[in-house]
Amino acid sequence: MPTSPVFVGSSEPNELTRVNEEMYKQNLELAIRNKTLNVLHIVSTITINATGAIEVSQKIADAIVTELKFASVFIALSDTSGKELRFTAVAQAAGSNDVYEPLLHPSDNRTIALTDRGNLMTDAILDRERKISGNFLDVATPLVTQEAADKIENATHTEMIITYPLFLGPKTLGALTLGLAKKIDDLSRGEKETLDELIGAVSIAINRAQLIEDIKSANDKLTTANNQLELMDKLKDEFVSVASHELRTPMTAIKSYTWMVLNGKAGSLEPKATEYLNRVYISTERLIHLINEMLDVSRIESGRVTIKKTPLEMAKLLLDVQKELRGRATECSISLTVEEVGSIPVVQADSERIHQVLENLVGNSLKFTPKGGSITMGVRKTDGFLETHVTDTGRGIGAEQIPLLFKKFGRLEHSLVAMPENSTGLGLFICKQYVELHGGTIRVQSEPDKGSTFTFTLPISQP
């Protein structure tokens, strides 16, 4: 017997319609979700490549209009003071942007005060919630008239506007306004979720762009300040060099004539006159020494120091320095000796500069070693270098002060040991520069009340 066809009841067409409608809605939500992910990806890319807040806000506005098909998008950002809003970006689906001119460039340069109620954006920011209106004037007041607002609405086919405040924590960034070609109730659930996600991404992008602008501004200011400091430093060095040259000539003359008077070239002197002239002579020597050190520093820092290397016997140089400074050491009741030196190789070095280094080190020890103390010089070969040391039984230096020793004007004002009045704070700085120009190093070991040992190295000449 043939089987009769089976029919579904009369509810079948309605059920099929419902299923189709549900599938349509799901497909629509899926499409919206895909668009959401795409626009979030675009905003993320804009964030990563952010250069400036205005450029970023315009790119974001363009992306929202293009990807999410809103009628128009407006972004207004807070100024650096956090007191005013300015429109920085506009985008629309079609038509000319000429109607936006009063917004972006107000004729009287007006701004929207963040403290004033009555504008949809400021209300949204002050209340920290989105605002909705059917009149674009609510967003643009007081920058445009109702007539101008109507032109913008007509040009963008806008029926409804939604304004979202843009925050990142407590920081007010501005406001994002969306122009819709439909009523707010016509938005799907997916479209509403898209807007919620979008606001956070936009806030992050704009905040990052502003941070980059702040960093760039700070770097520009720092660069300008550094350039000014370099110029001032150069002018200072030039002044020191010129002034030192100009001072050295008359000071040398004063020293020479004082010496002549002290040695009877102008007749006999009363004891008091001799005492006073001796003080003049000593002070003049100190001033000439200071001038010479300042000239040395000026040459070093300007790169005008030339190292002329010749064979140098360090043992002989130690003896020469001992002879030159023995008289001064005797006056201070200080023993100045040279350790017995064995076979020491010759080094290639600028004898004048190394002589100056030794004189500075020994002279420094003489300043800090009390009467009855001793200063010892010595040299030995070690690991491809000649190591020369100057050891004294002076008052020593605290460990926290040692890093200051080889810096320019590194006077130890707060150390346990007071600096002598005639110390310039330049001698050890000059020593360090000269030794390093030879490829060597200089260091110090010291303890308060136990003396100090200054050691410098010079590379041994290769055969």
Side-chain angles (χ1 to χ4, degrees), residues 59-118:
K59 287 182 178 180
I60 289 173
D62 292 338
I64 293 174
V65 166
T66 302
E67 299 298 324
L68 299 181
K69 308 303 181 184
F70 286 108
S72 57
V73 176
F74 306 87
I75 297 177
L77 298 182
S78 171
D79 65 356
T80 55
S81 69
K83 295 180 180 180
E84 296 178 337
L85 282 178
R86 289 182 183 273
F87 280 94
T88 57
V90 295
Q92 66 184 67
S96 171
N97 289 335
D98 293 342
V99 291
Y100 301 128
E101 186 66 20
L103 290 180
L104 296 172
H105 305 99
S107 58
D108 54 2
N109 201 31
R110 286 177 295 176
T111 57
I112 302 170
L114 272 169
T115 54
D116 292 345
R117 292 279 187 176

Side-chain angles (χ1 to χ4, degrees), residues 365 368-370 373-374 391-397 447-452:
S365 290
F368 293 100
T369 302
S374 65
T391 301
D392 63 53
T393 59
R395 290 167 287 185
I397 306 161
E447 291 184 45
D449 301 321
K450 292 186 179 180
S452 304

Side-chain angles (χ1 to χ4, degrees), residues 27-28 33 40 52 54 56 62 67 81 104 130 154 156 158 162 164 176 193 293 305 309 315 351 373 385 422-423 463:
N27 288 334
L28 182 61
R33 188 60 188 166
L40 289 175
I54 294 177
V56 165
D62 292 338
E67 299 298 324
S81 69
L104 296 172
R130 76 175 188 180
N154 294 331
T156 57
T158 298
I162 312 175
Y164 290 85
L176 170 67
E193 290 176 354
E293 285 190 335
V305 173
K309 294 184 178 181
S351 58
F385 288 85
N422 61 336
S423 175

Side-chain angles (χ1 to χ4, degrees), residues 61 98 146 157 197 232-233 288 295 317 321 437 440 450:
D98 293 342
Q146 182 65 65
H157 307 290
E197 293 183 43
M232 292 175 65
D233 196 50
I288 291 174
L295 282 171
L317 182 59
V321 171
L437 284 172
K450 292 186 179 180

Side-chain angles (χ1 to χ4, degrees), residues 8 82 86 92 95 133 150 170 184 199 219 228 287 289 414 434:
V8 181
R86 289 182 183 273
Q92 66 184 67
S133 174
D150 291 341
I184 188 69
I199 298 307
N219 285 339
Q228 291 175 342
L287 187 53
H289 179 69
H414 303 293
Y434 284 162

